[in-house]
Structure formats: C-alpha cells, structure tokens
C-alpha cells in the first residue's frame, strides 16, 4: 500500500512539473514577434506563427525538382499545448519521390528525420510536403545553423532513388527564430517526450 502511495505521489509530482514547464512558455511573446503572420493551420486547431520573407528556395541536383522551405513556430493544443519550431520541406516535381527520410548535413553532423510526405497532384505535377517539428534531439541543428557562417546546407531525400541538393535558409532569420524560442522558454518544454513522433537520428560525418 505504501509503495502504491509513493508511486502515486511520484506521478503527481511529474504531472505538476510537466504542467509548470508548459506554463512557462511565453506564447504571447512569440505571437507578437515583428514581421510575422499568425494564422490557423490547415487542421483548424494549431496556431502557426510564421516570419515573413518565406519560403526559402533551395537547389536540387535533379532536373524538374524544386525545393522551398518554411521555418515557423506552431502551437499544438492536442500535443499538451506544446510550442514547436517546425520545418516544412516542399518539393515540386514531375515524378513522385516518396522519401521516407530527410537528411540535413550541418557541420560534421547529419540530422536524419523519419518522414511521411503529404502528396498532391495537379496538371501532372506532384507536390510533396515533408514536415518535421524539432525536439530536443534536433533543436541543436537549428542552433548550429543560426551560429554558422553559411545560408546553405546539404539535404538528401532518401527513397529508392535518392535526391540531393542544397537547403537554403536565411541565417539571420534562423538565428532570430532560435533565440526567440529560447527566450520564450520553448526549449525548456518536455520535448524529449515527442521524439517518437518526429524521430531524428544524428550521424557523425567526416
């Protein structure tokens, strides 16, 4: 009986800690950032705060494939009211790619995300959106981007026929997003608990 009581106390403490951590996030500060648009996501539930000046256009090493990227914040009530930094990689292509992983090389590390594309087709052109939210495993990637000396990084869409190219994001914009997230205490949320939803493996490269 005592053991059960102790377990219940521990669970209650963990819940209180979790709620306290979430309450610390200054969502108002994020929503009121300058030069940004605030709108409901397509699901009508999540709130997106997207800095203006997007998308960022990259370069792909295959003809008839175009890449543009969005970097924004998203508040998700259905995910314990957690606020994430989200990256969307949008491909326009004449042939479906159907990647199951996206790899981004930043410095000596390759961040490989498991993904599932949202695909649509119009007038024989395919549009594939790959969406990831950054957890404690992948947030260091954005920090490295923000503190680096380049605006471009190698990106690979892994499929039966992988496609490579250059991801381009304005470094100053990435720094602004990352710093605001940290200042608003977004990085202090329990991001570890969402690793299984947006898996990311960090590989060391030469």
């Amino acid at each position: 009986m005592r053991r059960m009581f102790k377990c219940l106390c521990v669970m209650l403490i963990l819940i209180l800690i979790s709620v306290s951590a979430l309450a610390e996030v200054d969502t108002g500060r994020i929503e009121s950032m300058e030069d940004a648009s605030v709108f409901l996501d397509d699901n009508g539930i999540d709130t997106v705060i997207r800095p203006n000046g997007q998308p960022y256009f990259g370069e792909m090493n295959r003809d008839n494939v175009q890449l543009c990227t969005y970097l924004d914040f998203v508040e998700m009530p259905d995910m314990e009211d957690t606020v994430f930094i989200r990256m969307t990689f949008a491909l326009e292509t004449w042939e479906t790619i159907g990647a199951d992983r996206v790899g981004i090389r930043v410095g000596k590390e390759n961040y490989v995300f498991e993904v599932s594309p949202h695909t649509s087709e119009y007038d024989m052109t395919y549009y594939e959106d790959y969406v990831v939210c950054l957890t404690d495993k992948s947030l260091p990637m954005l920090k490295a981007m923000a503190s680096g000396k380049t605006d471009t990084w190698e990106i690979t869409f892994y499929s039966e026929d992988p496609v490579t190219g250059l991801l381009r994001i304005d470094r100053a914009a990435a720094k602004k997003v990352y710093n605001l997230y940290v200042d608003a205490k977004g990085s202090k949320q329990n991001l570890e608990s969402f690793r299984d939803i947006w898996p990311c493996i960090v590989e060391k490269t030469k």
Side-chain angles (χ1 to χ4, degrees):
M1 190 71 178
R2 285 186 176 180
R3 182 176 297 177
M4 182 179 296
F5 179 74
K6 286 183 178 180
C7 289
L8 289 173
C9 289
V10 170
M11 290 176 63
L12 179 60
I13 291 172
L14 290 174
I15 291 172
L16 290 174
I17 291 174
S18 176
V19 171
S20 175
L22 287 173
E24 291 179 354
V25 181
D26 190 349
T27 55
R29 184 171 184 174
I30 295 176
E31 289 183 358
S32 62
M33 72 178 297
E34 296 181 356
D35 300 321
S37 300
V38 181
F39 55 93
L40 280 180
D41 205 1
D42 292 341
N43 61 13
I45 300 173
D46 302 333
T47 299
V48 179
I49 305 96
R50 176 172 294 165
N52 296 330
Q54 302 189 44
Y56 305 108
F57 293 94
E59 300 175 9
M60 300 305 295
N61 297 328
R62 182 185 293 183
D63 292 339
N64 303 318
V65 178
Q66 297 180 7
L67 166 67
C68 65
T69 304
Y70 297 89
L71 176 66
D72 50 35
F73 303 95
V74 59
E75 302 173 15
M76 296 187 174
D78 289 346
M79 295 290 181
E80 301 177 10
D81 286 323
T82 307
V83 181
F84 296 97
I85 292 178
R86 182 179 68 174
M87 301 182 78
T88 302
F89 312 106
L91 291 179
E92 181 179 325
T93 173
W94 286 8
E95 297 179 328
T96 56
I97 294 173
D100 57 12
R101 291 171 297 146
V102 175
I104 303 170
R105 180 172 178 175
V106 181
K108 294 183 179 180
E109 295 179 318
N110 188 35
Y111 293 82
V112 182
F113 297 87
E114 292 184 21
V115 293
S116 179
H118 178 272
T119 305
S120 59
E121 184 269 336
Y122 178 76
D123 197 22
M124 300 184 68
T125 299
Y126 292 93
Y127 301 89
E128 297 184 349
D129 290 346
Y130 298 85
V131 179
V132 298
C133 289
L134 304 186
T135 68
D136 62 312
K137 289 277 289 184
S138 48
L139 191 58
M141 179 189 73
L142 185 62
K143 180 180 180 180
M145 287 178 166
S147 60
K149 297 181 179 180
T150 180
D151 292 324
T152 58
W153 298 270
E154 295 179 18
I155 187 169
T156 303
F157 292 86
Y158 297 97
S159 63
E160 292 183 2
D161 188 11
V163 183
T164 61
L166 290 177
L167 168 69
R168 179 173 284 108
I169 298 177
D170 181 77
R171 187 172 70 257
K175 184 175 182 179
K176 183 177 180 180
V177 166
Y178 178 80
N179 287 345
L180 179 57
Y181 192 66
V182 173
D183 291 344
K185 299 184 180 181
S187 59
K188 292 186 179 296
Q189 299 172 107
N190 185 20
L191 299 177
E192 181 179 349
S193 62
F194 299 98
R195 287 182 180 181
D196 291 340
I197 300 177
W198 294 285
C200 177
I201 297 175
V202 184
E203 301 175 340
K204 294 292 184 180
T205 63
K206 296 181 179 179

